[in-house]
Amino acid sequence: MSATPQKNRATRRVLAAAAGLATVGALVAAMPAGAQDRGHGHGHKPRTVDVQLLSFNDLHGNLEPPAGSAGNVSETQPDGTVKAIPAGGVEYLATSLRTARKGNPYSVTAAGGDMVGASPLLSGLFHDEPTIEALNGLDLDVTAVGNHEFDEGAAELARLQNGGCHPVEGCYEKGKKFKGADFPYLAANVTREKTGRPLLKPYTVWKKNGVKIGFIGVTLEGTPDIVTANGVKGLKFHDEVETINKYARELDRKGVKSIVALIHEGGAPASTSYNYDCDSPGAGDGISGPIVDIAKGITPKVDALVTGHTHQAYVCTVPDPSGKPRMVTSASSFGKLYTDTTLTYDRRTKDIVRTSVKSANHVVTRDQAKATDMTRLIDRWNKLAAPIASKPQGWISADINGRGSTAPEKPLGNVIADAQLEGLAPADKGGAEVAFMNPGGIRADLVHKASGSEGDGVVTYGEAFTVQPFTNMMNVVDLTGAQLVSALQQQVSGGNEASPKILQVSKGLTYTLDLTKSGADRVVAGTIKLNGEAIDPARTYRVAMNEFLAGGGDGFAALGEGTNKLVGASDLDLFNAYLAAHSTAAAPLAPPATDRITVIQ
């Protein structure tokens, strides 16, 4: 960054003060005679108070700074070039939030879901207890649930909220019982099938010196489509807009007029730079995706939307149903950014003065001081994880990008799919002929630079786990050629048309993806071949995939139609076995070519 954070802050304060003066001037001018006395010298409180809302989303248990390209944010420079800035890690996030709060007596910190789940080994090994402990230390006031909060089911989510040791693994530290989250998890649109009652609190009200702000939290209605069936057993997920509107009415009746919605659903800005203006040329013009329609449908009673899920960064205004601009924000993922929003609260109306809402995303840079309490927390859990985490699994000659790759076919996706095919090809292991991997299941890159003392190029168990943290069991099923073609078309049609989900495929499967076309036609059916032969619609193929895809997850209904299922080892076990079989210190695994999917832009 060109200016030091201190300098930026000072400038921001001056600008905010100037903007505040302009707003005050406008208010004074607009007020009837006699109303302009803001109570100075009379012992009255000023009519408006600025509430600082700090927010972030999709932390996914990334306590340590995410490695490789997955740990960068893009920043557009004044000359138009784009710079990658290493960001994230709770030691820095804690410092950023604590610094931002200084001089703001009214400050509330909220999150947009997916705080846990799909976490690196340091948190995942301990069922995310370390992350909840870190969030308590960050003084998080409230969060919505995200889809990943359901990865281990409703009972485990309740344990994260209420505390208690793990039902199977017990307490991790001698004489210490897990306390649970000291902030509420909100799940307004999740009810129990049997009783129809909300699973967790639908909303909470933050109060300070007579200032009251209501928070309503929801996850995306489509959560059951992207979580294993066991995770959402016995639960119903309801429409985000209807739910928020219902509880906004309830809060309003209770006299809470200032309302923020925390929504684990998001959008895609036209640029991946965190400082892109997505109100260009008009309000919300630079953003697309599900959050746009949701924002347009939510009652004007709600003053701001904190969103997530898509791991994108944006600060936009999208018009509410009455046509008034309303702030919609998201802070990327993995703790790399935080959003600072000023909500001006009017003590007389008890509502937010929407015209004066200001918001911006800020980078959690790694050149600031680390928060020592977070360093201690990380060290404590690292000691417990070390015997498992530091075991070498294989060697690589360079970075193999997965999460950090924006291409449809990712080098690490190819490695994972090949590992699954190789492990499940033997007749007694399922006789797989082809393997598919869902792109969202690749949670990191394999990074050549050492993360600890293991040495460059060594892939540790902890690093492999960070790439494949779900420990999904593998399935091999029968699918016809016609079903295979349908599955490939479902990558770019139906629910996946707006934002395609391109499956990573094992070696031998090739086809052309023509992005100039629309819908299912983007997959050029005549080009789909397996080992050089056209797919025969009538023939049966043995296909390997994780249990999530085999259940039709991510909108792949065709993959859910498989028969003659054989359950194999876990995805992580196959990945580690492949690394061990294909690499040595002397002959490390090189990043594979990405030549299976021919892309026409």
Side-chain angles (χ1 to χ4, degrees):
M1 292 173 93
S2 50
T4 64
Q6 274 72 20
K7 222 153 127 198
N8 280 352
R9 269 200 302 283
T11 316
R12 275 208 303 277
R13 273 205 296 273
V14 173
L15 288 173
L21 288 173
T23 312
V24 172
L27 272 175
V28 169
M31 279 182 195
Q36 293 174 16
D37 174 13
R38 291 171 61 85
H40 296 301
H42 298 278
H44 294 190
K45 288 176 173 165
R47 173 154 173 186
T48 62
V49 56
D50 279 355
V51 178
Q52 177 189 54
L53 170 63
L54 300 175
S55 57
F56 58 97
N57 50 277
D58 296 276
L59 180 64
H60 290 289
N62 279 266
L63 301 181
E64 296 175 296
S69 53
N72 292 337
V73 291
S74 299
E75 180 181 71
T76 300
Q77 305 302 302
D79 66 359
T81 57
V82 176
K83 184 175 164 191
I85 302 173
V90 292
E91 294 160 294
Y92 303 113
L93 180 60
T95 300
S96 287
L97 295 176
R98 288 164 189 173
T99 305
R101 288 177 191 135
K102 281 179 187 153
N104 288 286
Y106 294 85
S107 184
V108 57
T109 304
D114 278 5
M115 293 296 99
V116 301
S119 306
L121 187 82
L122 177 61
S123 187
L125 191 62
F126 307 107
H127 295 277
D128 283 313
E129 289 181 22
T131 297
I132 298 295
E133 195 184 311
L135 292 169
N136 288 345
L138 289 175
D139 292 320
L140 183 63
D141 289 296
V142 56
T143 182
V145 293
N147 51 291
H148 282 281
E149 263 82 17
F150 294 92
D151 284 348
E152 296 186 42
E156 175 63 4
L157 174 55
R159 184 181 81 88
L160 291 180
Q161 176 72 85
N162 303 319
C165 296
H166 192 269
V168 179
E169 291 170 29
C171 301
Y172 294 113
E173 294 180 289
K174 213 178 161 120
K176 265 178 126 174
K177 189 175 162 211
F178 173 58
K179 290 191 177 71
D182 60 16
F183 50 88
Y185 258 116
L186 304 180
N189 65 331
V190 187
T191 57
R192 293 189 184 276
E193 269 174 3
K194 280 191 177 138
T195 62
R197 293 175 67 85
L199 175 70
L200 295 166
K201 278 167 71 158
Y203 60 79
T204 190
V205 180
W206 178 85
K207 299 184 185 96
K208 180 159 186 181
N209 298 343
V211 174
K212 286 196 275 194
I213 299 180
F215 288 88
I216 304 168
V218 297
T219 183
L220 68 153
E221 187 184 5
T223 292
D225 307 327
I226 52 175
V227 173
T228 56
N230 272 346
V232 293
K233 215 172 166 178
L235 302 175
K236 270 187 97 156
F237 292 77
H238 304 271
D239 181 87
E240 304 94 341
V241 175
E242 283 172 25
T243 305
I244 291 168
N245 290 352
K246 170 183 148 182
Y247 287 111
R249 284 193 300 274
E250 190 172 310
L251 281 166
D252 189 51
R253 280 199 305 274
K254 290 183 167 180
V256 179
K257 308 290 182 189
S258 298
I259 303 172
V260 175
L262 308 174
I263 309 172
H264 192 70
E265 177 60 292
S271 158
T272 56
S273 288
Y274 83 91
N275 56 343
Y276 163 71
D277 176 10
C278 54
D279 278 353
S280 174
D285 284 349
I287 187 168
S288 58
I291 199 62
V292 179
D293 286 340
I294 290 173
K296 286 176 178 168
I298 289 172
T299 170
K301 290 186 201 304
V302 174
D303 299 296
L305 315 182
V306 171
T307 73
H309 188 56
T310 57
H311 291 206
Q312 303 294 315
Y314 47 85
V315 173
C316 299
T317 52
V318 177
D320 72 11
S322 74
K324 275 176 68 185
R326 177 169 53 191
M327 201 57 82
V328 179
T329 68
S330 171
S332 182
S333 65
F334 300 173
K336 293 182 287 191
L337 296 178
Y338 71 93
T339 314
D340 187 338
T341 304
T342 304
L343 301 171
T344 301
Y345 181 93
D346 184 326
R347 288 183 186 275
R348 197 165 303 171
T349 63
K350 298 184 179 150
D351 207 349
I352 301 297
V353 185
R354 274 237 234 128
T355 49
S356 65
V357 173
K358 293 180 283 294
S359 189
N361 274 327
H362 302 287
V363 182
V364 177
T365 57
R366 298 185 199 164
D367 58 4
Q368 57 187 324
K370 294 180 179 185
T372 52
D373 56 331
M374 293 295 151
T375 306
R376 283 196 302 273
L377 181 148
I378 288 169
D379 290 347
R380 212 179 81 232
W381 288 102
N382 261 331
K383 275 197 187 78
L384 286 173
I388 295 170
S390 56
K391 280 193 181 130
Q393 303 298 313
W395 290 263
I396 55 173
S397 64
D399 288 3
I400 304 181
N401 282 352
R403 192 82 200 177
S405 164
T406 52
E409 180 185 348
K410 303 169 195 311
L412 191 49
N414 288 356
V415 173
I416 291 169
D418 289 352
Q420 295 177 352
L421 177 63
E422 185 169 296
L424 301 170
D428 61 333
K429 296 280 191 287
E433 300 168 81
V434 63
F436 290 132
M437 173 64 194
N438 55 309
I442 306 167
R443 304 305 297 190
D445 302 334
L446 278 186
V447 178
H448 184 263
K449 189 175 171 358
S451 59
S453 57
E454 76 275 10
D456 290 351
V458 178
V459 180
T460 64
Y461 184 86
E463 289 163 343
F465 181 98
T466 298
V467 168
Q468 296 249 273
F470 298 107
T471 324
N472 268 314
M473 300 315 287
M474 291 300 300
N475 290 184
V476 187
V477 298
D478 282 351
L479 287 171
T480 64
Q483 287 169 321
L484 268 187
V485 172
S486 288
L488 291 173
Q489 289 172 333
Q490 283 165 359
Q491 301 177 109
V492 289
S493 62
N496 292 332
E497 179 156 9
S499 55
K501 290 197 170 80
I502 305 302
L503 294 164
Q504 306 299 291
V505 299
S506 55
K507 60 175 183 280
L509 188 78
T510 53
Y511 70 94
T512 297
L513 186 64
D514 186 348
L515 296 176
T516 64
K517 297 189 169 147
S518 62
D521 291 342
R522 292 173 184 165
V523 172
V524 185
T527 64
I528 306 171
K529 293 181 176 170
L530 183 60
N531 303 323
E533 286 184 19
I535 293 288
D536 176 354
R539 193 192 136 193
T540 297
Y541 294 84
R542 291 292 281 164
V543 185
M545 65 193 94
N546 59 41
E547 60 192 324
F548 170 67
L549 280 178
D554 267 353
F556 290 102
L559 296 181
E561 293 165 5
T563 56
N564 197 13
K565 177 168 82 177
L566 183 130
V567 177
S570 78
D571 51 8
L572 180 60
D573 287 347
L574 293 180
F575 184 48
N576 283 331
Y578 185 85
L579 289 171
H582 291 271
S583 69
T584 62
L589 182 70
T594 48
D595 54 5
R596 300 168 192 187
I597 305 171
T598 303
V599 181
I600 300 170
Q601 299 277 17

